[in-house]
Amino acid sequence: MQPWCVHVVAGEAKEKLSRAILDAFEAGGEGHKRTWKYYPDELFEPYLSRSVRSAGGSTAARIGKGDHAQMKAQRAQNYLFFGAPVGMIFTIDDRLEIGSWLDYGMFIQNIMTSARGHGLHTCPQAAFADYHRIIRGHLGHPGGSHRDLRPVDRI
Ligand SMILES: Cc1cc2nc3c(=O)[nH]c(=O)nc-3n(C[C@H](O)[C@H](O)[C@H](O)COP(=O)(O)O)c2cc1C
């Protein structure tokens, strides 16, 4: 099935994408939201405790509680790819089902593991998913998924 479609951005294309998303992020509002859920609305045990425990080690958690400006600045770093020189945007045809998403996870993990073999680091980011409409415009995605892309645009 190979349900993956990867768009690689660097240099000016990456900077333009970052700027467009950051503008929308700064403007705020409810207009940007991912079309899928990472977690259920109400997290339950044992996952709730685990998620709180693991969040305790994150950079965001080291920022003082209530320091919204710092929190927002840290979140904004997502859209600068945390300073990485290359960004990879992964898209999937939204008619595919959970099995293909499982396959996709393995594909992404392989890229991450392979990158380490080449001395490179990676950082998976779900944060981009909220800005799918902006990303679509920048990557020439006219439809709701990658189904409209020409084969040459797919790797
Ligand atoms: C699927 C997935 C999505 C993630 N999305 C984000 C994200 O959007 N923003 C972020 O700061 N960290 C995100 N993380 C966490 C980081 O990618 C990273 O795993 C975490 O900071 C721990 O990094 P380390 O193991 O190198 O310390 C995500 C992790 C995974 C596995």
Side-chain angles (χ1 to χ4, degrees):
M1 290 280 291
Q2 301 182 346
W4 31 83
C5 180
V6 187
H7 312 259
V8 182
V9 287
E12 205 184 321
K14 184 172 73 73
E15 278 162 31
K16 278 188 181 160
L17 182 60
S18 286
R19 183 40 49 209
I21 295 176
L22 279 171
D23 285 348
F25 175 74
E26 293 300 335
E30 289 298 302
H32 299 279
K33 203 164 187 278
R34 67 194 61 177
T35 54
W36 48 275
K37 279 186 192 170
Y38 204 120
Y39 303 111
D41 292 333
E42 297 278 333
L43 210 50
F44 44 89
E45 294 302 343
Y47 312 106
L48 180 60
S49 310
R50 288 181 192 168
S51 103
V52 170
R53 247 195 339 259
S54 79
S58 72
T59 310
R62 283 192 289 276
I63 298 169
K65 260 203 161 69
D67 191 346
H68 298 296
Q70 263 293 92
M71 255 334 178
K72 194 171 177 189
Q74 177 58 27
R75 278 182 52 211
Q77 287 298 315
N78 271 289
Y79 306 116
L80 293 166
F81 296 85
F82 292 108
V86 176
M88 302 173 89
I89 304 286
F90 297 86
T91 62
I92 188 168
D93 189 314
D94 58 10
R95 293 169 296 182
L96 291 173
E97 293 289 354
I98 195 166
S100 293
W101 288 66
L102 287 169
D103 295 340
Y104 216 138
M106 296 166 87
F107 173 74
I108 293 173
Q109 178 85 58
N110 282 343
I111 290 181
M112 296 175 71
T113 307
S114 169
R116 280 310 297 135
H118 289 276
L120 299 169
H121 287 277
T122 58
C123 177
Q125 294 175 259
F128 282 98
D130 289 333
Y131 295 93
H132 59 97
R133 278 187 282 118
I134 292 176
I135 292 170
R136 185 174 295 137
H138 275 251
L139 302 180
H141 254 228
S145 66
H146 76 229
R147 71 181 81 140
D148 301 307
L149 287 185
R150 299 183 312 277
V152 72
D153 294 325
R154 303 164 69 161
I155 61 168

